[in-house]
DNA sequence: GATTTCGCATATGATTTAAATATGGGAGGT
DNA sequence: ACCTCCCATATTTAAATCATATGCGAAATC
């Protein structure tokens, strides 16, 4: 049973006449008579009682008529929904980010919510390795992660490097009173560092930098979660080194923040997605927005 | 959006491959590729992400896929239901009858319930005039009525005439003790007669018969409802004259029944339906059954 | 009651649409 | 590097749909 036939049938039933229905459908009368006949033959059912010039629905016809509206409306709704999803008006954006990149994620979510208020978000958190794997397995479309990352299978928008900041509790006694420090000032301070679950990451970058300057850092905590790290820091466990934007996302009370004057390495992050992957409208919008911003 | 396309789409999604889907659909691969493309163009949406030889549903595609089953099932169910209604397996038989013809109606309902257990009944009760009007207005398909009736607009199956019976309460004192009586025996007995709301009917037939024999009946009740009539009779109000079958339908306690030896007129009834009207399967079955029986 | 009007049905030719065959190209697998 | 598998395009063939012309019967009008 083709939908055109159903639509024809409904119009005939509505108009109570083939001729009038044909006009409404912008076709000639004979093909409409023919299509009705074909529908009846296909269903092997008499749909209209023809008596002279009057058409009256049979019981089978009534039955079909009652269902027809549901079917046609269902199809129209489906088309509308599919197009809404495609246009990004509706849908789910599955996106991941490192905790330390949460500030960027926050920014993009805000942006998408303005452009496409109907879009839902499924957010994954994890280290760069985990998230790239999840892109590969299509569990997420996009990820905002700290570099380095395997970029042979991913396209990316680079986010401008941002400085690492040193953070320590404002209750910490005997620390310098300016707003920037040198690496040597950290000597002896217990350090809490971000640690990735696998692969080379910031932990290695920071420790390498210490080694370059000839220090041997006193690392007391390695933690993969930036929010936890800052919480521990605020509690006075020690000092930590995090990218600047991380501080914006997880702003915490009782923290003092310092520039690190001779810490040359900067935190690099990027928005990643699968090479040649189909991307939803919201995903494309995030990419476009990132490219414009950075 | 044509259903064929939807079916094709669903098959492709199920099989995850155009080639395999084409085999399942018993068509060649190229037209299937083409139809998928046309569907995408029609919706202006990308349904599958094509990457080399793999087809993966996009979010829009997923959305469409989820709805497609509902739509296709809905259509199949509808077809099945329409055909069921047409074949009489399901449906509503709208039928009317005089109260005095209720025995025939009972018989036919029993018959249809055996043949088509799914059929529902809408029963109208009324006098012949009312019921023929209801046929004309399509409120009922069939009517079993006492004659005479306007037969220019109706087709009919005649039911063999049946004798009128005289009925009186068994509490009635001083009445004859045989099982048949003559009209003259009714002289003086208060009579309760069926009366139609309009047109000429049994009331006139019975009174005419009395006049033919030179009696002047003592009519104390005129009532259009046979069941009420018999109830009044059982209560000892008087005697009544009804067709034999009526007694079978509304069998009542405490009644004595007599043949009327010199009452020549017999009760005539018929099954009526609109000339050239479309009739449902159950209606046609009732007609066939009636024709066979009588 | 004759005539006109209206609406459905059929027939035939034209147009559009779908399917089949043949073929090319790109991604995986060997 | 080769072969295999699968999708896409091009072209031809078949089928379905539509339009035009026309006939027929029932209602409406005079």
């Amino acid at each position: 049973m083709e939908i055109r036939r159903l639509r024809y049938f409904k119009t005939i039933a509505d108009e109570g006449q083939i001729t009038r229905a044909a006009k409404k459908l912008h076709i000639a009368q004979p093909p409409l008579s023919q299509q009705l006949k074909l529908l009846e033959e296909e269903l092997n059912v008499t749909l209209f009682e023809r008596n002279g010039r009057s058409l009256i629905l049979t019981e089978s016809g009534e039955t079909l008529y009652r269902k027809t509206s549901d079917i046609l409306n269902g199809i129209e709704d489906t088309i509308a929904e599919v197009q809404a999803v495609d246009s990004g008006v509706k849908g789910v954006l599955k996106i991941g980010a490192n905790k330390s990149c949460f500030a960027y994620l926050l920014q993009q979510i805000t942006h998408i919510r303005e452009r496409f208020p109907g879009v839902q978000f499924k957010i994954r958190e994890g280290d760069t390795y985990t998230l790239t794997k999840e892109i590969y397995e299509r569990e997420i479309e996009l990820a905002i992660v700290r570099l380095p990352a395997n970029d042979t299978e991913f396209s990316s928008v680079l986010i401008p490097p941002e400085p690492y900041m040193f953070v320590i509790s404002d209750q910490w006694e005997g620390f310098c009173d300016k707003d920037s420090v040198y690496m040597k000032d950290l000597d002896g301070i217990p350090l809490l560092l971000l640690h990735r679950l696998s692969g080379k990451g910031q932990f290695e970058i920071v420790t390498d930098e210490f080694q370059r300057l000839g220090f041997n850092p006193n690392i007391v905590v390695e933690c993969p979660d930036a929010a936890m790290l800052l919480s521990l820091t605020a509690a006075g466990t020690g000092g930590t080194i995090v990218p600047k934007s991380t501080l914006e996302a997880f702003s915490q009370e009782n923290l003092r923040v310092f520039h690190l004057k001779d810490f040359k390495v900067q935190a690099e992050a990027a928005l990643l997605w699968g090479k040649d992957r189909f991307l939803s409208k919201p995903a494309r919008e995030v990419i476009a927005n990132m490219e414009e911003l950075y």
Side-chain angles (χ1 to χ4, degrees), chain A:
Chain A
M1 176 153 67
E2 286 305 317
I3 293 206
R4 187 176 355 95
R5 298 236 171 98
L6 262 193
R7 227 181 276 282
Y8 286 0
F9 165 75
K10 180 172 155 51
T11 308
I12 295 173
D14 284 335
E15 298 295 322
Q17 247 191 231
I18 294 182
T19 304
R20 196 134 28 98
K23 272 176 193 154
K24 202 170 176 185
L25 291 165
H26 304 293
I27 61 172
Q29 169 262 316
L32 193 54
S33 290
Q34 188 190 351
Q35 289 299 318
L36 176 59
K37 196 178 162 192
L38 287 171
L39 180 61
E40 288 184 319
E41 282 172 8
E42 181 187 343
L43 298 178
N44 195 28
V45 150
T46 306
L47 294 171
F48 288 97
E49 176 182 348
R50 286 122 165 122
N51 229 349
R53 75 170 75 180
S54 77
L55 290 185
I56 294 166
L57 283 168
T58 64
E59 198 181 336
S60 308
E62 286 273 10
T63 306
L64 180 60
Y65 183 76
R66 277 194 297 275
K67 295 271 179 168
T68 296
S69 300
D70 291 346
I71 292 172
L72 294 179
N73 289 336
I75 289 172
E76 282 202 12
D77 291 351
T78 299
I79 291 175
E81 185 175 341
V82 168
Q83 290 176 339
V85 168
D86 184 78
S87 68
V89 172
K90 196 183 163 186
V92 178
L93 176 56
K94 292 179 283 188
I95 185 168
N98 295 344
K99 261 248 166 69
S100 72
C101 294
F102 192 71
Y104 301 116
L105 181 62
L106 213 60
Q107 178 192 62
Q108 291 309 315
I109 288 177
T110 306
H111 177 248
I112 294 297
R113 286 206 58 78
E114 278 168 16
R115 291 282 312 254
F116 306 121
V119 170
Q120 296 183 342
F121 293 86
K122 278 224 165 67
I123 296 170
R124 292 287 189 113
E125 185 270 329
D127 61 276
T128 301
Y129 173 76
T130 305
L131 291 174
T132 52
K133 205 171 148 199
E134 289 182 353
I135 289 181
Y136 191 74
E137 290 162 355
R138 292 172 197 273
E139 291 179 37
I140 55 179
E141 285 191 280
L142 301 174
I144 304 174
V145 297
R146 292 291 162 195
L147 299 179
N150 170 4
D151 60 353
T152 58
E153 304 183 30
F154 301 98
S155 300
S156 62
V157 177
L158 292 176
I159 296 170
E162 57 176 332
Y164 280 97
M165 309 296 276
F166 179 70
V167 187
I168 199 164
S169 165
D170 59 3
Q171 306 292 314
W172 196 269
E173 310 218 342
F175 198 68
C176 113
D177 54 355
K178 304 179 192 113
D179 59 340
S180 56
V181 294
Y182 291 91
M183 293 290 275
K184 66 170 166 56
D185 298 330
L186 307 185
D187 200 18
I189 303 272
L191 288 180
L192 301 76
L193 288 187
L194 268 174
H195 196 190
R196 291 219 300 212
L197 294 176
S198 52
K200 186 182 176 182
Q202 286 183 266
F203 178 82
E204 289 77 10
I205 291 171
V206 173
T207 51
D208 285 358
E209 188 72 2
F210 272 108
Q211 288 204 318
R212 186 179 64 83
L213 294 168
F215 290 98
N216 217 350
N218 172 23
I219 298 174
V220 295
V221 173
E222 295 175 19
C223 170
D225 186 313
M228 289 169 66
L229 208 62
L230 287 172
S231 182
L232 285 167
T233 306
T237 312
T240 188
I241 297 173
V242 294
K244 194 178 175 194
S245 72
T246 305
L247 290 168
E248 296 162 13
F250 303 105
S251 57
Q252 192 102 23
E253 303 267 292
N254 311 323
L255 287 179
R256 290 173 70 199
V257 179
F258 302 88
H259 285 277
L260 279 164
K261 289 199 166 168
D262 53 353
F263 191 93
K264 293 284 166 58
V265 182
Q266 291 196 299
E268 291 185 294
L271 173 69
L272 300 186
W273 64 93
K275 245 175 191 161
D276 302 321
R277 282 281 170 85
F278 172 88
L279 294 171
S280 69
K281 194 70 173 268
R284 292 198 294 274
E285 179 60 30
V286 166
I287 292 170
N289 186 243
M290 278 285 208
E291 279 174 343
E292 191 178 327
L293 282 173
Y294 306 114

